[in-house]
Amino acid sequence: MPTEKKIHVLDDKELSSKVCEFVAAKSKEAIESRGCFNIGVSGGSVAKFLSAGLPAKDGLDWTKWKVFFCDERLVPFDNDDSTYKYFKENMFGKVNIPSDQIYIIDPTLSVEDAAIDYAKKVDNVPKENNLPVFDLLVLGMGPDGHTCSLFPGHKLLQETSVTVAPISDSPKPPPSRVTLTFPVVNNTRCAMFVSGGAGKAEIVQRILEGNESDPLPAARVQPTNGELHWFLDTGAAGALKAKY
């Protein structure tokens, strides 16, 4: 079944609210259908959008949320590079997600062991085709087209033997991270990208309208049996040739 892709181009002021409305709707849908909501979150600007809008949403059953990280930097939790630190301070502390339903890395381990350990936590997500099936992965995209900690030209783009992989040579600091791999990313029920600003316009156009023989990592996100949504502000959509 081909990926169902939808591109949402929004006014700058609408982007955060529409992203949060979409996540809230997916959470309710998952809880009604399957009893819980397995979500993977990312750092960067998308973390700011989620943290700014989701805690104020009415009618969310946070006790049924199970939160994972699409990737995480291998740093202590008091380090500002920690995605968990950001969410703990700006979202988790404002809602009633049980702490044992927030699945975090163990930053005291080596990067290789941290990935093995996190893969065991990801095993809590129900499986199909022997792979975890997330209800929603909320993804960001770097100016080089990377997503999660899957970078252009890196060998991890071809990784299929594990669900969570270590990376110790990230071209973007800090160098050591753990990341979901593409087999898991593309087994999700729904993946959503959030991208804002004119500085992303060229790379967004390459990913959404290009036909490159060696696709950028974000272009490789093509859920096998799921939806793909891109939420863009007018700046990030500025170079798109088609109208959406």
Side-chain angles (χ1 to χ4, degrees):
M1 177 180 174
T3 301
E4 178 189 338
K5 179 166 68 177
K6 184 166 177 55
I7 298 165
H8 312 255
V9 180
L10 303 159
D11 180 89
D12 300 9
K13 296 176 182 177
E14 287 185 301
L15 185 60
S16 180
S17 63
K18 293 297 185 184
V19 164
C20 290
E21 284 176 16
F22 185 86
V23 174
K26 286 296 180 187
S27 76
K28 292 175 182 178
E29 177 186 303
I31 292 166
E32 287 172 7
S33 299
R34 294 175 291 279
C36 67
F37 180 46
N38 288 289
I39 179 174
V41 297
S42 301
S45 59
V46 67
K48 295 176 182 176
F49 288 144
L50 297 182
S51 298
L54 279 175
K57 285 284 178 195
D58 292 329
L60 295 184
D61 187 353
W62 293 102
T63 66
K64 300 287 178 34
W65 283 48
K66 296 185 177 183
V67 181
F68 298 80
F69 293 84
C70 297
D71 67 324
E72 178 60 288
R73 293 92 175 237
L74 193 71
V75 295
F77 291 143
D78 61 357
N79 186 304
D80 286 342
D81 280 331
S82 167
T83 300
Y84 169 65
K85 177 180 188 286
Y86 185 87
F87 275 100
K88 182 180 180 183
E89 293 176 350
N90 295 283
M91 191 173 97
F92 296 154
K94 301 175 183 178
V95 299
N96 61 333
I97 304 176
S99 60
D100 63 352
Q101 291 172 205
I102 300 169
Y103 295 86
I104 54 179
I105 67 163
D106 183 345
T108 67
L109 299 174
S110 69
V111 68
E112 293 81 9
D113 287 343
I116 292 168
D117 177 70
Y118 203 63
K120 293 175 184 174
K121 295 173 182 177
V122 170
D123 271 347
N124 284 279
V125 179
K127 294 184 176 65
E128 289 179 13
N129 302 320
N130 210 33
L131 286 169
V133 183
F134 282 92
D135 295 306
L136 178 64
L137 296 178
V138 186
L139 303 169
M141 180 195 64
D144 60 352
H146 85 266
T147 191
C148 301
S149 284
L150 300 165
F151 292 91
H154 197 278
K155 63 184 180 182
L156 285 187
L157 300 186
Q158 315 304 327
E159 177 60 67
T160 60
S161 64
V162 294
T163 56
V164 178
I167 175 170
S168 56
D169 57 351
S170 166
K172 179 181 178 182
S176 293
R177 303 151 174 248
V178 300
T179 181
L180 297 181
T181 58
F182 276 121
V184 178
V185 171
N186 285 327
N187 209 44
T188 186
R189 288 188 174 88
C190 182
M192 65 182 296
F193 280 94
V194 184
S195 193
K200 297 281 183 73
E202 181 182 345
I203 201 78
V204 165
Q205 193 278 328
R206 280 180 63 189
I207 287 166
L208 292 180
E209 298 181 335
N211 188 24
E212 300 180 15
S213 58
D214 184 20
L216 290 166
R220 297 172 186 246
V221 177
Q222 301 283 338
T224 307
N225 291 298
E227 306 168 22
L228 174 62
H229 292 259
W230 279 79
F231 286 80
L232 309 170
D233 66 11
T234 51
L240 294 175
K241 295 177 173 57
K243 298 297 179 187
Y244 298 96

